[in-house]
Structures are given as structure tokens and as C-alpha cells.
Amino acid sequence: MTIGAPHEVAVHPRHFIATVLAILLGAPGVVGAESSRQRVKVDDSIYPVYQFNLEVKPTRTVPPALPPDAYQAGRGGFVLVGALVNEKGRVASTFVAKSTADRDIQHACRLAVGQWRFPKITEGDTVINYVVFIPLELKRNDNE
């Protein structure tokens, strides 16, 4: 998905599952569980991980904007943003799981994802908090 002008934001589609699984298996804080679902520790709690665009699709997105300094310098990069989604479907907190981008670009991605909304997920009769990892790629689009 490409969004925005003059900046291009792409949700990294190629090899998505393999990429995210490889990153998750190597990402600090990911722990096993009795079930096959991965779990991740955020602060002092452990949350289930749901797959972005497969198990959960955002109900509202805000595209991250490439910071002006990064745009001028032609900088960009890949950022895997982890989002802790609360029982209301709002993003309670974000963190960078992996990145090839500079901190200003990572910050722009975290700010944007912090405004996203996701569906509520239940386990039994209980609405739960969960984590989703969102791969984003920001780069300068000189075609416009």
C-alpha cells in the first residue's frame, strides 16, 4: 500500500509473513507460550501477538510522514513498529522492534501508528489487550 505525496509510505508486502516471523523470532522480548501463538513482553506484562493484515486489520490508519530533514537528505528506511492495542482497539503504546531507519524516521512511524485503531479481540468472553507488529517503509518519492 502506497500512501501520500510527496512522501511514499509502503506497508512492506513482499515476503511479509516470513520477514515478520524471522524478526519476531529474533526480536528481544518475544516468548513462547503453551499455545502456538507468540507472546511478547511489554513493560511488565506479556501479551499475545496477532498478525498484521492477516488476523487483524486496522480500522483506521494515519500515514507516517517522512520528516523534512530526512526528505531533504534523501533518507528513509524500514521500521517494524510494535503496537500494544488495548481493549477498546486503541493503541496504548508503541515501540520499535527492528529498524534500518534513523531515529527521527522511527519516531514519525511511532507517532503515526499511535493514532491507528484496531478491532477488539476476545478470548472467551473477555476483551483482551494484544500486540501487533506493523512493517513500514518510508522513502523519498522523486517521481512526483
Side-chain angles (χ1 to χ4, degrees):
M1 166 171 57
T2 301
I3 307 169
H7 317 296
E8 181 178 291
V9 179
V11 175
H12 223 269
R14 61 183 183 265
H15 310 296
F16 174 75
I17 296 172
T19 302
V20 172
L21 286 177
I23 290 170
L24 286 177
L25 294 175
V30 176
V31 296
E34 296 77 17
S35 70
S36 61
R37 179 162 310 282
Q38 290 289 324
R39 297 187 178 274
V40 64
K41 185 174 183 181
V42 179
D43 297 324
D44 292 326
S45 299
I46 297 177
Y47 301 97
V49 176
Y50 284 80
Q51 294 179 21
F52 178 69
N53 273 349
L54 294 176
E55 296 178 300
V56 291
K57 294 184 183 210
T59 58
R60 174 182 179 238
T61 62
V62 174
L66 192 59
D69 290 346
Y71 181 80
Q72 292 292 332
R75 293 184 291 118
F78 172 79
V79 183
L80 182 65
V81 177
L84 173 59
V85 180
N86 68 20
E87 63 278 349
K88 294 179 180 179
R90 295 181 178 266
V91 176
S93 66
T94 61
F95 56 94
V96 174
K98 295 283 182 179
S99 179
T100 63
D102 292 332
R103 287 182 189 238
D104 59 340
I105 296 170
Q106 294 174 18
H107 182 71
C109 290
R110 289 184 64 198
L111 284 176
V113 170
Q115 299 175 67
W116 290 24
R117 300 293 178 261
F118 289 90
K120 297 175 186 177
I121 292 182
T122 58
E123 284 184 357
D125 293 334
T126 306
V127 179
I128 62 165
N129 296 339
Y130 60 94
V131 171
V132 60
F133 288 93
I134 302 141
L136 299 169
E137 184 177 20
L138 272 70
K139 60 185 176 179
R140 182 174 169 166
N141 185 358
D142 288 326
N143 296 331
E144 298 180 2

